[in-house]
Amino acid sequence: ATKFGPQLVRSIFEKLAEKNTTATFEVVNLSDDIIGDEGARYLQQGFAGNKCLKQLLLPRAGLTAPGFHAIGDLIGDCPSLVECVLSSNVCDAEGVKGDFDKGLKKNKTLKSLYMAGCRLGDEGIAAICPGALSTHPALEHVSLAYNRLEHGAALSLNKMLHANMALRYLDLSGNALGPQGAKDLVVGLKENKGRLQKLSVAQNTIRLAGTKVMVDFFTSPEGKNMEFLD
């Protein structure tokens, strides 16, 4: 991984300030660049109110909970942002509470949010699903893969599925929902009334019992709008 660190981010915005201009980047790709929480705050400050930024790619960037809070503020302050990748930054449940949830609620343009491998756990899902993920008007794709989710997360996910009108693709791969989680999730899928079109529950140890309820839903009239189920 390249490791320019937070000072790279700071220096970019300092140079722009010297020229009395603002950033016009449409894509910021800092994948595998360990900017950490400090760098995330520099990004938040530098892009506050920015109307150009469309894609923010920060996988494996060394962010923890404070960094996620800063990025939440950024998401709320960027009215053009459509894609945000935060995967493989270990923020735990604390990362998606507070400022992150508030920023996501404030945003109206984001279409795709990747938070795979952030170690959110059931607690993190319980924090964000009834809030921002339930009410966002444009968010079509959410990845929550590899987040140590167990069957309790399904109840929180169901609140989102019941209320969300925009979500079309939900990736829950690589968790541990188990058979009971699969059964509970089907309740939410039914309440969703066919708005969700793609769902991945691969590698969730749902076993035969969980697979059966998923297949039964997929082949039922209630599941007729679902294009993809893994």
Side-chain angles (χ1 to χ4, degrees):
T2 53
K3 296 184 179 180
F4 297 114
Q7 300 310 317
L8 168 68
V9 181
R10 185 179 72 174
S11 65
I12 290 172
F13 291 110
E14 285 178 345
K15 293 296 183 183
L16 290 170
E18 288 174 4
K19 296 179 180 179
N20 197 29
T21 188
T22 57
T24 57
F25 311 118
E26 292 189 359
V27 179
V28 170
N29 186 353
L30 291 169
S31 304
D32 298 296
D33 192 333
I34 312 301
I35 65 167
D37 298 335
E38 184 182 2
R41 184 55 68 184
Y42 290 141
L43 285 173
Q44 181 269 320
Q45 295 168 350
F47 280 109
N50 188 283
K51 296 181 180 180
C52 296
L53 184 63
K54 295 181 180 180
Q55 290 179 292
L56 180 62
L57 312 178
L58 295 172
R60 302 171 300 278
L63 308 187
T64 65
F68 266 67
H69 295 166
I71 297 302
D73 288 339
L74 186 158
I75 290 172
D77 287 339
C78 283
S80 57
L81 191 65
V82 295
E83 181 179 19
C84 183
V85 180
L86 298 170
S87 297
S88 299
N89 291 291
V90 180
C91 70
D92 297 309
E94 187 61 32
V96 293
K97 297 178 181 178
D99 288 342
F100 186 87
D101 189 56
K102 290 177 184 177
L104 193 54
K105 284 179 181 175
K106 183 180 176 183
N107 177 277
K108 307 299 179 186
T109 59
L110 195 67
K111 292 183 179 295
S112 186
L113 177 62
Y114 293 79
M115 293 193 296
C118 293
R119 210 166 66 184
L120 301 181
D122 291 5
E123 182 184 350
I125 298 303
I128 197 170
C129 277
L133 292 187
S134 289
T135 59
H136 200 288
L139 196 57
E140 297 179 354
H141 166 248
V142 175
S143 174
L144 298 171
Y146 300 98
N147 265 300
R148 303 186 179 183
L149 307 185
E150 298 181 356
H151 66 85
L155 301 180
S156 300
L157 291 164
N158 284 353
K159 294 178 182 178
M160 174 186 68
L161 290 170
H162 174 74
N164 188 289
M165 304 301 292
L167 191 65
R168 298 294 179 265
Y169 181 17
L170 178 61
D171 187 357
L172 300 173
S173 306
N175 287 295
L177 295 177
Q180 187 59 50
K183 292 176 183 178
D184 291 341
L185 196 59
V186 166
V187 175
L189 292 171
K190 291 178 179 178
E191 293 178 349
N192 183 258
K193 299 188 183 302
R195 296 186 295 273
L196 191 73
Q197 297 172 353
K198 298 179 181 179
L199 172 67
S200 177
V201 288
Q203 296 175 290
N204 263 277
T205 61
I206 65 173
R207 302 189 183 280
L208 178 60
T211 301
K212 185 178 186 303
V213 294
M214 282 288 176
V215 171
D216 286 347
F217 171 77
F218 186 71
T219 57
S220 72
E222 292 172 299
K224 65 180 180 180
N225 291 335
M226 188 156 288
E227 300 173 358
F228 172 83
L229 174 63
D230 186 7

